[in-house]
């Protein structure tokens, strides 16, 4: 899969500079176009419903304060985006460029962030999401994984560089892992080294890591195979420990979820990787 269009939601100014620089460097790595989406809602939606309890004059004053705050935040974030583009010599464009050059565009989108990510993600090749705080999945992550149908790159919140020379594939033969590999072909071809790692518990599950190695060889991607013993360690801990041992720069893996009543819940492996990974995670649902 060729990566030409990338989106990144930017909803808060926490680590905004690092996140913008990281996303722009991802776009540079793929020579792609990056759309930065600042989704916000109408200030009136932030006001209480019981408007009959507030005088008209006081309501107008509150409305103006909220509008000024939202406008000030938008201006600050847009200026930060423009400054970061200039510092990295990345072109800001009004329309998608036709040639393979790195470019970016700032979008102010009215709507709830999750809905915006789900919609825009369907017509992008990749969605960049910051690593959730405290390991809890964010609205943006859930919308991208569950509704976009495209790969998601989870970036550590303060990581500004992106040039993965060694990519690790966490393989267990499942459909989600296969979809993650298929979506990451551009990334795998660009890497200097690719390692397929499998738990000893899944080594005989078909298709095996050797089957995957042969498949990728047909695409001119050479891979090493590793089998890790988790022992008393939980699977995600063993995966991350293996990534550190191999000095991997990125991990390709499936995102696992299951239904509980009317709620979509992410599995323990996915949640643990989100919480503890120190390198970017390439995932797809």
């Amino acid at each position: 899969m060729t990566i030409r269009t990338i989106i990144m939601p930017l909803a808060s100014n926490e680590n905004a500079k690092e996140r913008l620089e990281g996303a722009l460097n991802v776009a540079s790595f793929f020579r792609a176009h990056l759309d930065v989406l600042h989704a916000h809602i109408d200030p009136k939606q932030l006001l209480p419903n019981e408007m009959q309890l507030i005088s008209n004059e006081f309501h107008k004053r509150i409305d103006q304060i909220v509008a000024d705050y939202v406008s000030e935040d938008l201006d600050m974030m847009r200026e930060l985006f423009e400054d970061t583009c200039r510092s990295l010599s990345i072109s800001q464009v009004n329309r998608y460029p036709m040639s393979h050059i790195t470019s970016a565009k700032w979008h102010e989108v009215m709507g709830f962030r999750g809905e915006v990510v789900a919609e825009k993600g369907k017509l992008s090749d990749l969605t960049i999401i910051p690593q959730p705080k405290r390991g809890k999945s964010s609205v943006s992550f859930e919308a991208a994984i569950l509704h976009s149908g495209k790969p998601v790159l989870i970036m550590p919140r303060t990581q500004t560089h992106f040039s993965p020379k060694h990519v690790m594939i966490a393989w267990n033969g499942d459909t989600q892992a296969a979809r993650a590999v298929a979506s990451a072909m551009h990334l795998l071809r660009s890497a200097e080294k690719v390692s397929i790692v499998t738990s000893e518990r899944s080594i005989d599950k078909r298709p095996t890591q050797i089957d995957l190695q042969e498949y990728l060889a047909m695409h001119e991607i050479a891979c090493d195979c590793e089998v890790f013993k988790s022992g008393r360690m939980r699977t995600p801990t063993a995966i991350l420990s293996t990534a550190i041992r191999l000095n991997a720069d990125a991990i390709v893996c499936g995102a696992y979820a299951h239904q509980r009543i009317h709620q979509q819940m992410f599995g323990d492996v996915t949640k643990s990787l989100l919480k503890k990974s120190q390198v970017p995670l390439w995932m797809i649902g």
Side-chain angles (χ1 to χ4, degrees), residues 1 5-9 35 37 96 113-129 140 143-145 147-152:
M1 178 179 178
T5 61
I6 303 172
I7 65 168
M8 182 189 75
D35 283 318
L37 310 175
Y96 289 137
R113 179 162 38 104
E115 295 175 356
V116 170
V117 171
E119 175 192 344
K120 302 294 185 182
K122 292 173 183 175
L123 295 181
S124 67
D125 298 320
L126 178 67
T127 299
I128 299 174
I129 302 291
S140 295
I145 286 290
H147 302 295
S148 74
K150 300 296 180 65
V152 178

Side-chain angles (χ1 to χ4, degrees), residues 248-264:
D249 301 308
I251 300 173
V252 174
C253 55
Y256 298 87
H258 54 268
Q259 293 282 353
R260 286 185 183 173
I261 311 177
H262 300 295
Q263 196 172 19
Q264 188 84 33

Side-chain angles (χ1 to χ4, degrees), residues 235-245 251 272-273 276-278:
T235 298
T237 302
I239 291 173
L240 295 176
S241 177
T242 303
I244 292 172
R245 177 172 60 82
I251 300 173
S272 294
L273 290 177
K276 299 178 181 179
S277 181
Q278 299 177 17

Side-chain angles (χ1 to χ4, degrees), residues 191-218:
E192 294 178 2
K193 184 177 181 179
V194 177
S195 297
I196 305 170
V197 304
T198 303
S199 166
E200 61 179 349
R201 301 170 185 170
S202 302
I203 190 61
D204 294 324
K205 186 174 180 180
R206 295 182 179 277
T208 67
Q209 62 175 191
I210 301 302
D211 295 327
L212 176 62
Q213 183 185 41
E214 293 175 352
Y215 167 78
L216 291 175
M218 295 293 291

Side-chain angles (χ1 to χ4, degrees), residues 137 141-142 145-146 255-258 264-268 270-271 274:
S137 60
F141 173 77
E142 293 178 4
I145 286 290
L146 298 176
Y256 298 87
H258 54 268
Q264 188 84 33
M265 304 293 290
F266 289 97
D268 289 339
T270 299
K271 289 189 289 187
L274 286 174

